[in-house]
Amino acid sequence: MEYPPKKTTCLKCGNEVTVDRHRIWCTKCGDPVYYHRKDQKWYRINTIYVYAAFVAVILLVAYFFIELVAKPYLN
């Protein structure tokens, strides 16, 4: 869907980009730039959520490894 062209700045690098679709990619840093600011906010929240979930999974795997594998061999 085409939108009327609008100049928007990339939140990551500050590059000014003309947006005429829902989402385009910044030519300088490669981050997505959205036509509506609320979509940019949801992208950021989703990115933080995915990173947090990834870290939680890594910590859970480390915990299970320590409890089930490493601890019995240390006693």
Side-chain angles (χ1 to χ4, degrees), residues 18-44:
T18 303
V19 181
D20 60 350
R21 291 177 278 168
H22 174 70
R23 177 185 69 193
I24 63 166
W25 299 96
C26 178
T27 56
K28 198 171 188 182
C29 67
D31 228 27
V33 178
Y34 290 88
Y35 190 84
H36 300 289
R37 280 289 183 192
K38 70 174 186 164
D39 294 332
Q40 187 77 26
K41 182 182 91 171
W42 282 111
Y43 169 75
R44 264 184 143 27

Side-chain angles (χ1 to χ4, degrees), residues 1 3 9 11 14 18 23-24 26 32-34 42-44 50 54 60-61 64 70 73-74:
M1 181 175 176
Y3 293 110
T9 57
L11 295 178
T18 303
R23 177 185 69 193
I24 63 166
C26 178
V33 178
Y34 290 88
W42 282 111
Y43 169 75
R44 264 184 143 27
V50 168
F54 182 71
L60 184 66
V61 168
F64 282 134
Y73 289 116
L74 293 177

